[in-house]
Amino acid sequence: MNKKTALSVNLNKVALVRNTRHLGIPSVTRAATLCLQAGANGITVHPRPDERHIRASDVPELATLLKEWPEREFNIEGNPSHNLMDVVHDLVQRKLPVHQVTFVPDAQGQFTSDHGWGFPGDVNRLRPLIAQAQAWGLRVSLFMDADPAAMAGAQSVGADRVELYTEPYAAAWGTAQQAPQLARFAETARAALKLGLGINAGHDLNRDNLSAFIKAVPGVAEVSIGHALIADALELGYSATVQAYLSCIQEGRA
């Protein structure tokens, strides 16, 4: 049984809706507040260079909010070769909370994250960036495909955790490929844990498939969920939705 699995709510889609008008609604910080009040363990944002959802200005506002929740975490994800390191360094200089950076190999303007880092090809690119983030006192997670053999590469560049890219599992949900996909994620997690890496997971996890994933995949420390959770919140509200996802996690840990 997993000891604990944290829920980090990704607020990108709240910002996406806000950006369609110039009224400042829905408020990203208000959404974060309601999710934290409902029991979310952290907040995730992905400030892309084109600012199509989260803007650079949102990040310090959210970090300032997180000062009121010292037991919760702020996770910022993105490509460290684009704007991520500058955004994070700004928080570090301001002494604002940021706990984890998740390095994602997205191209400029990419529709959504759809693959993990590759080794040995990304070794030289990642190693100094990971070292820099850790020198700032941050935990570093690498967005990775479910490939047991790739975990050694993540460990070799100094990552603290891997975030398993779960879209292939979500796409297989309810099909004959569901069990094989789960088995591959479980095997990957075991390989990572054996190397001393922590396990995060995210992408297309939802209320239907989350519990089975937590139950089958050992050692999941955190799930980062955005699109499905915000879609559910449009119908249920933030509080009820966060509580529903926490219940899914609890069911998976039972």
Side-chain angles (χ1 to χ4, degrees), residues 15 29 32 38 40 56 95 104 116 122 144 158 184 211 214 216 226 246 250 253:
T29 52
K95 301 189 185 313
V104 183
D122 289 320
M144 298 290 295
R184 184 163 182 80
S211 294
I214 297 296
L246 291 171
Q250 186 63 38
R253 290 166 51 199

Side-chain angles (χ1 to χ4, degrees), residues 10 12 44-48 75-79 83-84 88 100-104 106 113 143 163 224:
N10 187 315
N12 290 352
T44 290
V45 293
H46 186 152
R48 295 177 183 272
N75 170 51
I76 305 177
E77 61 183 24
N79 192 320
N83 61 326
L84 177 67
V88 171
Q100 177 176 264
V101 288
T102 300
F103 288 178
V104 183
D106 283 354
S113 305
F143 195 69
E163 179 176 330
S224 176

Side-chain angles (χ1 to χ4, degrees), residues 41-250:
N41 307 106
I43 297 297
T44 290
V45 293
H46 186 152
R48 295 177 183 272
D50 61 14
E51 295 197 328
R52 65 179 182 260
H53 38 63
I54 291 293
R55 297 167 178 159
S57 59
D58 293 321
V59 179
E61 291 179 5
L62 288 165
T64 299
L65 171 66
L66 265 293
K67 289 177 68 175
E68 302 173 19
W69 301 84
E71 75 282 11
R72 315 297 173 89
E73 290 201 347
F74 193 18
N75 170 51
I76 305 177
E77 61 183 24
N79 192 320
S81 297
H82 296 162
N83 61 326
L84 177 67
M85 300 299 276
D86 288 340
V87 169
V88 171
H89 189 220
D90 178 62
L91 296 186
V92 172
Q93 288 184 311
R94 297 192 199 195
K95 301 189 185 313
L96 289 172
V98 54
H99 305 86
Q100 177 176 264
V101 288
T102 300
F103 288 178
V104 183
D106 283 354
Q108 291 265 12
Q110 186 166 329
F111 180 67
T112 188
S113 305
D114 63 7
H115 66 282
W117 296 99
F119 296 101
D122 289 320
V123 166
N124 292 335
R125 177 184 179 188
L126 286 172
R127 186 174 282 137
L129 294 165
I130 291 171
Q132 179 61 76
Q134 290 171 337
W136 292 334
L138 309 180
R139 183 170 70 238
V140 178
S141 178
L142 295 184
F143 195 69
M144 298 290 295
D145 297 311
D147 178 2
M151 297 303 102
Q155 190 267 345
S156 73
V157 293
D160 301 294
R161 293 187 184 181
V162 293
E163 179 176 330
L164 300 180
Y165 167 50
T166 50
E167 191 275 338
Y169 160 68
W173 179 259
T175 75
Q177 289 302 307
Q178 178 179 327
Q181 281 288 346
L182 264 181
R184 184 163 182 80
F185 277 91
E187 182 184 2
T188 303
R190 286 192 291 270
L193 292 169
K194 187 174 181 180
L195 292 167
L197 294 166
I199 309 295
N200 296 343
H203 209 91
D204 291 350
L205 294 173
N206 58 42
R207 287 186 293 157
D208 293 328
N209 61 36
L210 179 57
S211 294
F213 186 86
I214 297 296
K215 189 179 294 290
V217 179
V220 179
E222 175 186 292
V223 289
S224 176
I225 306 179
H227 186 90
L229 190 151
I230 299 305
D232 288 338
L234 291 173
E235 298 181 6
L236 305 175
Y238 291 116
S239 181
T241 298
V242 167
Q243 290 168 20
Y245 277 83
L246 291 171
S247 293
C248 290
I249 290 172
Q250 186 63 38

